[in-house]
Amino acid sequence: MNSCPPELHSYIVRLACADDGRTVRALLRVSRYYHAIAVPFIYQSMALDGADRISKAAATLEKTPSHRRRIRHLFISDAHSSSKREREDTDPGVETATIQILRIAAPTLESLTFLATTPCTSTCLISQLFRQSFPRLLELTVHGYYPFPSMPASMPVLQRLHLSGNRNPHGLFQLGGLEASCPSISHLRVSGVERAVAFANELDSLLQQPSSPRGCIASGQQVLFPTTLPKKLRILIVQTAPVAVKSVRSARLTKDMMCILEALDRGVRGGNGRPSFRCLDGRDADDGDESKRLKADWMDRLSGGEGCWASVGIE
C-alpha cells in the first residue's frame, strides 16, 4: 500500500465503487487511510429503494457540500425492491424528496433508473424529471405512467433511453419532441406496450418509409401531426406486456398489434438511416417485480454488462 500514491488508490477506488454503494461503505471501515480515500466516492453510486431511503438521502445530500455529493449513477424507486406491490398511497414528502435528489444529482449524473409506481403521482414526477437538465446523462430508464420528453436539449448527450409503463405510447415520435430533448439518442427501448395498435401503426409508418415525415395512422385515419425518428437512432426495441386477455376486444387489439410488430421484426433490418428493430415477447419479463428487474439491469450496466440491451439479436 505504501508503494502506491494516494492518487492511484483513489482511481482504483473510483472504479471499484461502481455498484449500489456497498463497496464504498465497506472501504470506509477498512482503515483511516482508506476512509479518507473513499469519502469522495460515498455518493458516486446510489440505490434508493422505498420512501424511507429516499427521504433520508434527500436530507443528507442537502447538508453535504456540493463537492462531496457528485452522483454519477442513481437508481431511485418509490417501491422497495423486496416488495412486489406498488405503492398505493401518496406521500407529498417523498415526492418533494425525490425531486430534490434529482435536482442535486442532475449536473453530474451519467446513468439514471427512475421508477415512479404510484398511479396518481407517477406522471407528475416523470414530467418534472423530463423538465430537468442533465448535461452529462448517458443512459436513462424510466418506469411509470410517463409523458413524452420534449424539453429542448434537456439531455444533450443521452445515448440510451428505456421507457417502461405506458401501455400505448402513441405520439412518442410526433412533432420531433424526442429528438429535441435527446439529440444524441442511439438506443431506444419501449417496454410494456399492450393493445397498442395506434403505436404499432406509428412505428410501421416510420420504419417503412423513414426518409420523409408522415402522418401517423390510427384506426385507418390520417392524423395531422408528423412523426419523425431521431436522426442518430440505430436500435429500436419494443417489448410487449405479458398477455392478459380480458375480453374479445382485448384479444383482437392484441392480435392486431402483434401482427404489425412481428412483421416489422421480420422485415426491418436497419441501414440507410433506418434503425434496426426488434420486438420482444413480454412473457420473458413476467416475474411480477419490475423494480427488482430494472435494478438488476442498472447494476449490470455499471459492471460493464448490457443490462436491458442484452440478447436482443441486433447490433
Side-chain angles (χ1 to χ4, degrees), residues 28-289:
L28 290 170
R29 297 191 293 267
V30 171
S31 66
R32 291 182 179 178
Y33 174 79
Y34 271 106
H35 185 280
I37 292 291
V39 160
F41 305 106
I42 291 177
Y43 303 112
Q44 174 178 273
S45 298
M46 298 183 68
L48 305 175
D49 303 291
D52 290 342
R53 296 195 66 184
I54 291 173
S55 298
K56 291 177 181 178
T60 301
L61 289 170
E62 192 65 34
K63 299 175 183 177
T64 304
S66 58
H67 68 282
R68 289 286 182 89
R69 60 184 191 192
R70 294 174 180 172
I71 306 171
R72 296 176 58 210
H73 310 288
L74 176 63
F75 174 92
I76 184 166
S77 170
D78 60 5
H80 197 281
S81 60
S82 63
S83 173
K84 293 186 178 182
R85 295 187 60 186
E86 294 184 344
R87 290 177 59 231
E88 297 177 353
D89 60 325
T90 302
D91 187 344
V94 175
E95 296 171 37
T96 302
T98 300
I99 296 168
Q100 185 179 6
I101 291 171
L102 290 176
R103 175 184 57 80
I104 291 172
T108 57
L109 208 56
E110 296 175 14
S111 70
L112 169 63
T113 294
F114 184 85
L115 283 77
T117 61
T118 306
C120 58
T121 60
S122 177
T123 301
C124 179
L125 279 173
I126 297 173
S127 67
Q128 294 196 56
L129 182 154
F130 284 150
R131 288 198 297 269
Q132 177 70 52
S133 178
F134 295 92
R136 298 185 180 182
L137 190 64
L138 297 172
E139 301 192 20
L140 172 63
T141 293
V142 170
H143 175 72
Y145 299 92
Y146 59 86
F148 305 142
S150 60
M151 178 178 166
S154 59
M155 294 172 276
V157 298
L158 186 76
Q159 297 176 3
R160 300 187 183 219
L161 175 62
H162 180 196
L163 299 173
S164 171
N166 190 332
R167 295 178 180 177
N168 186 11
H170 172 53
L172 176 62
F173 301 102
Q174 289 183 0
L175 302 177
L178 181 61
E179 183 171 28
S181 180
C182 316
S184 301
I185 186 171
S186 61
H187 293 59
L188 173 63
R189 175 168 175 158
V190 182
S191 299
V193 297
E194 181 179 355
R195 302 189 295 272
V197 178
F199 178 62
N201 277 320
E202 182 178 351
L203 289 174
D204 185 60
S205 69
L206 286 166
L207 295 173
Q208 297 297 347
Q209 293 188 6
S211 59
S212 61
R214 292 179 51 184
C216 294
I217 301 173
S219 303
Q221 296 182 352
Q222 194 82 3
V223 178
L224 297 178
F225 300 109
T227 58
T228 56
L229 286 171
K231 293 182 178 63
K232 295 184 179 181
L233 189 65
R234 294 295 173 262
I235 293 178
L236 175 56
I237 303 167
V238 173
Q239 182 167 31
T240 59
V243 178
V245 178
K246 300 179 181 179
S247 66
V248 174
R249 183 173 183 274
S250 294
R252 178 175 57 80
L253 290 174
T254 299
K255 181 179 179 180
D256 291 347
M257 177 190 73
M258 292 306 302
C259 181
I260 298 169
L261 294 179
E262 289 173 354
L264 290 174
D265 186 83
R266 292 190 300 268
V268 177
R269 290 293 177 265
N272 296 323
R274 183 169 59 176
S276 299
F277 178 81
R278 182 70 188 274
C279 177
L280 302 181
D281 192 337
R283 289 175 295 183
D284 296 337
D286 189 17
D287 60 6
D289 196 338

